[in-house]
Amino acid sequence: MASSEEVRSPVATQILDGKSIAADVRKQVAAEIARIKGTHPNFQPKLVIIQVGDRKDSNVYIRMKTKAAEEVGVVFQHIKLPRLTTEDQLLSVINDCNNDEDIHAVLLQLPLESDHNIDAEWCTDAISIDKDVDGLTVFNAGRLSRGDINNCTIPCTPLGSLELIKRTGASIEGKNAVIIGRSKIVGTPMSQLLIWNNATVTVCHTKTNDLPSIVREADIVVVAARQPKLVKESWIKPGAIVIDVGINSVPDSSKKSGFSLIGDVDYPEVLGKAGWITPVPGGVGPMTVAMLMKNTLQCAQNILEKDSAGTGWSLRLLPLALQDPVPSDIDVARSQTPKPVTELAKEIGLRIDELEPYGRDKAKVSLKVLDRLVDKPDGKYIVVAGVTPTPLGEGKSTTTIGLSQALGAHLGQNVFACVRQPSQGPTFGIKGGAAGGGYSQVIPMEEFNLHLTGDIHAITAANNLFAAAIDARIFHEKTQSDKALYGRLVPKVKGQRVFSPIQVRRLEKLGIAERDPDKLTPDEIKRFSRLDIDISTITWNRVIDTNDRYLRKITIGQSTTEKGYTRETQFDISVASELMAILALTTDLSDMKERLGRIVVASSLTGQPVTADDIGVTGALAVLLKDAIKPNLMQTLEGTPVFVHAGPFANIAHGNSSILADKVSLKLVGKDGYVVTEAGFGADIGMEKFFDIKCRASKLQPNCVVLVASVRALKMHGGGPNVTSGQPLDQAYYEENLPLLEKGFSNLQKHIENACSFGVPVVVGINTFSSDTPKELELVQRLSREAGAFDALICSHWATGGKGAKELGAAVMRACTTAENNFHFLYPLDIPLKDKIRSIAVNIYGASDVEYTSEAEERLGRYESQGFGHLPICMAKTHLSLSHDPTRKGRPTDFVLPIRDVRASVGAGFVYPLVGTISTMPGLPTRPCFFDIDLNPRDERISGLF
């Protein structure tokens, strides 16, 4: 007698058409990509498939994926490696893809076809978890197994199979599901996917007993066994959903190819029994490709969301163990254990491929981060400047770090501090380091104050290569005929002469159209070969990062081999090199190369500017500086991030840290975050140059100025006794004297007025010393507010860290968000150089007029005629007075500003008038800092830095 099942009427099976459903999925992916591009124009998902060998079936699958990628708008790259590829070579390619930020999704096409043993699982696991588009790494598999399905990539075939099941309209929850096959690619992830969709799942395999009876209980059957027609009609529960993942090639003489593709399910038999069934081909296959496109989009979206997130960082803050009295700076620094720089980088949203660690505590950051975050809004931009300081300094660097610690560790804001790298000269001379002080420092202090990552050494090497090239060129022009000189400049190599790219640029500059070196006329050869440098106009000096007074004037060329060519020149300290100013003002590698090429080192005998391009050294300089251009990541004592980058001299250059450090940090903090950057010397120098030079180059707009003042400095400006570095303070600075303080406030008042004249709100930070009295501090607060400051706060960050600058931080936040801001430059660029100089002298310094030496007049005329009149002005004057005279304190008036000479840093992009005598090579004092600096050979601990 027949069973009831056998006499049951056939089911009207519905076909799950994978082709049409896949087309719908691809359409959705394409629409989503177009939608995101509407708000993020640079959004472009990119998929890379890596293939080893030349398997025909793999080639077919890759062609299908290529077509789908083109259809939805995904950039597709196929990396096809030969059979000779080794495991190490494959891993290297995978690593390159992981580190390429333009690539969002990476797939290793399996199986691999290599003549060498390659561990496919090991190589698959090498794919970055964020780019594992097929969800096959152990990390994604682990997340899926524990149900973290919203935080992992699901393998494409199971994901496509799930989508097919959902398209039936049937509920998965509570259903019995049977998976035939337990592979890592399909069976296992499919079972987990159905479990987390609330099905009751049984996984069957080759060791399963009585497989048909188990399958008969299933509402959902997924078959991935690689056995043709394994599943028969008698196995299927009427109305069940059958997903056939198998694809098998079987002989078929009726086909032109000689074979047919069939699944693991006996399709003709089951067709009348199942409720839904997928055909083979045309079922799961197209869905796998469609889900690959969907996963690629999701990988790209995940990265975009991370990059665009405006949420706060999750910093592991470092607690301070405050002591009273405060120990030495180096002892304070050593009392704190910094976080690994890799941990800090992860906390602030940097990718591992954007970080280049230099040991445990410092790292360079790739400029690629700017491309990744190009659509992310910038944070708030704060510049820290100061009153005209005493020779002891008033704590501007310490306030920069203390304010950053306050905003990050105590007010919960995303914040970056950006400071200059200190020169070795003052570190071993008289000033000491520049890492801040007390409980507001950059750590590790030793790393900060010594070599860091070698940027200053790179500047030194590049500068001196350039200097050597200039003198060598003069020597060779003096000792060779036109023909011999040209023959060496454009030598024959294997019988042919070829102009190098930089020589082509010189031809273009000279207006010579011929590009065949053998066809230049004698006149063209002479013009091309001879720079005819006027030795009296050379402005490029050699540099060294040491205070060495005996290098202030030297004679070069005294060897007999130089054939009588000698000249007087000098050494500057390395941070005074124009290359350092360029490093601080450049915006990317291309911009740096252009600036380097524009450097003017002299004039020719006919008055034409001689540039780095003319010397032929531009590319070599760029090579030496290619790593120095990347900002250096460090941290404060409380674990907030710091960029330490560039260190231009604050008088003959602009004295600010790099534009690139500011730009990267503004992106990393996000629109609600803060970047605190320091300007060197008093506000009349550093702040004015920050606005009129740095902000012009960066196109960044400041939100707030913090002016650092101290009672000590204001008393000095009121007529107090001289303050001398290395000498004890006079007793007058330890006694309350309100009239003296009020008189000296005129200096701070002028700086407040200057800052307000740029249209930016000003917050005064009063850096306290133990000798300050409450009445003195209250007086400075009141007078500052009356002078136009947005607010004035008393700060104790040196003694208490960020906690001591918390009120200052809160005021800065209010100023950035509520105060009126109408930022503008002091002068336009299209007025004559003299008018720009006068504008600074009269409006910022308070001078009544400007006077020029004949030499300064001659230089200004030359620079105007050479086309440099459009450049901004970088005044080089003393930092110890608003005037040119360091003895005139307070707020000098009725003085004429003398311009002794004028120089041009054309590559950096400014003209710098010399006001009085400016030394670019400091000397060592009688007792330099190095008397106290020592190294313990047992534990390599450094002592004596401060």
Side-chain angles (χ1 to χ4, degrees), residues 465-475 533 538 540 567 601 615:
L465 171 65
F466 197 177
I470 294 167
D471 288 304
R473 184 60 174 265
I474 294 170
F475 172 82
I533 293 174
I538 296 175
W540 196 262
R567 70 179 181 92
V601 297
I615 299 292

Side-chain angles (χ1 to χ4, degrees), residues 390 392 712 721-724 727-734 769 771:
T390 70
L392 303 179
R712 177 182 68 190
N722 285 337
V723 176
T724 305
Q727 299 296 320
L729 278 175
D730 190 279
Q731 187 60 31
Y733 294 104
Y734 295 100
F769 294 88
S771 57

Side-chain angles (χ1 to χ4, degrees), residues 589-601:
L589 270 171
S590 295
D591 178 60
M592 185 176 76
K593 280 193 66 176
E594 290 175 9
R595 288 176 180 272
L596 293 173
R598 292 199 302 264
I599 294 173
V600 174
V601 297

Side-chain angles (χ1 to χ4, degrees), residues 19 247 261-262 278-284 286:
K19 289 184 179 179
I247 185 163
L261 297 177
I262 63 173
T278 58
V280 177
V284 175

Side-chain angles (χ1 to χ4, degrees), residues 684-685 688-689 750 754 837 839-847 874-877 881-884 891-893 895 897 915:
D684 56 313
I685 300 179
E688 185 273 321
K689 294 175 181 180
K750 175 58 174 168
N754 285 347
I837 294 170
S839 179
I840 296 171
V842 173
N843 296 310
I844 300 299
Y845 306 155
C874 184
M875 298 288 274
K877 78 169 187 71
S881 172
L882 280 163
S883 74
H884 59 285
R891 183 175 184 170
T893 56
F895 63 92
L897 191 76
V915 182

Side-chain angles (χ1 to χ4, degrees), residues 335-493:
S335 70
Q336 186 67 281
T337 301
K339 296 178 286 189
V341 71
T342 50
E343 177 185 344
L344 175 64
K346 184 176 181 180
E347 290 174 341
I348 62 176
L350 284 168
R351 298 181 190 169
I352 191 167
D353 57 294
E354 294 166 344
L355 199 71
E356 299 174 15
Y358 279 61
R360 179 186 182 278
D361 302 317
K362 60 186 185 288
K364 281 198 165 290
V365 173
S366 169
L367 301 185
K368 294 187 296 184
V369 68
L370 288 173
D371 296 325
R372 175 169 66 88
L373 301 181
V374 65
D375 296 323
K376 187 174 182 179
D378 288 345
K380 307 296 190 301
Y381 196 28
I382 301 118
V383 59
V384 178
V387 295
T388 303
T390 70
L392 303 179
E394 307 317 307
K396 194 159 66 306
S397 298
T398 304
T399 301
T400 300
I401 302 305
L403 172 59
S404 182
Q405 291 179 168
L407 288 166
H410 299 273
L411 294 170
Q413 304 301 306
N414 291 1
V415 63
F416 242 104
C418 293
V419 296
R420 288 181 294 166
Q421 178 182 350
S423 166
Q424 176 184 296
T427 297
F428 288 89
I430 193 167
K431 183 177 180 294
Y439 288 101
S440 294
Q441 292 188 55
V442 181
I443 56 172
M445 179 193 180
E446 301 97 313
E447 302 280 357
F448 179 96
N449 281 316
L450 297 177
H451 304 284
L452 198 58
T453 58
D455 293 349
I456 293 180
H457 300 315
I459 291 289
T460 303
N463 184 101
N464 293 341
L465 171 65
F466 197 177
I470 294 167
D471 288 304
R473 184 60 174 265
I474 294 170
F475 172 82
H476 291 306
E477 288 189 26
K478 282 181 175 291
T479 57
Q480 297 179 50
S481 66
D482 292 347
K483 181 179 179 181
L485 185 62
Y486 183 67
R488 288 180 172 87
L489 286 171
V490 194
K492 284 190 175 182
V493 179

Side-chain angles (χ1 to χ4, degrees), residues 471-541:
D471 288 304
R473 184 60 174 265
I474 294 170
F475 172 82
H476 291 306
E477 288 189 26
K478 282 181 175 291
T479 57
Q480 297 179 50
S481 66
D482 292 347
K483 181 179 179 181
L485 185 62
Y486 183 67
R488 288 180 172 87
L489 286 171
V490 194
K492 284 190 175 182
V493 179
K494 296 181 179 179
Q496 282 191 317
R497 296 182 193 268
V498 178
F499 289 120
S500 67
I502 201 166
Q503 290 177 324
V504 171
R505 291 203 294 274
R506 175 155 174 79
L507 292 170
E508 291 171 349
K509 178 180 177 178
L510 296 171
I512 298 173
E514 184 58 64
R515 293 297 178 265
D516 185 342
D518 293 322
K519 293 183 179 179
L520 263 62
T521 67
D523 177 65
E524 289 173 335
I525 287 174
K526 182 174 184 177
R527 289 168 55 213
F528 171 83
S529 302
R530 295 201 175 275
L531 302 180
D532 286 332
I533 293 174
D534 181 348
I535 294 174
S536 67
T537 66
I538 296 175
T539 57
W540 196 262
N541 299 323

Side-chain angles (χ1 to χ4, degrees), residues 121-137:
E121 289 190 18
W122 176 256
C123 292
T124 299
D125 283 339
I127 298 172
S128 167
I129 185 173
D130 296 325
K131 299 185 179 185
D132 174 25
V133 71
D134 213 11
L136 296 181
T137 64

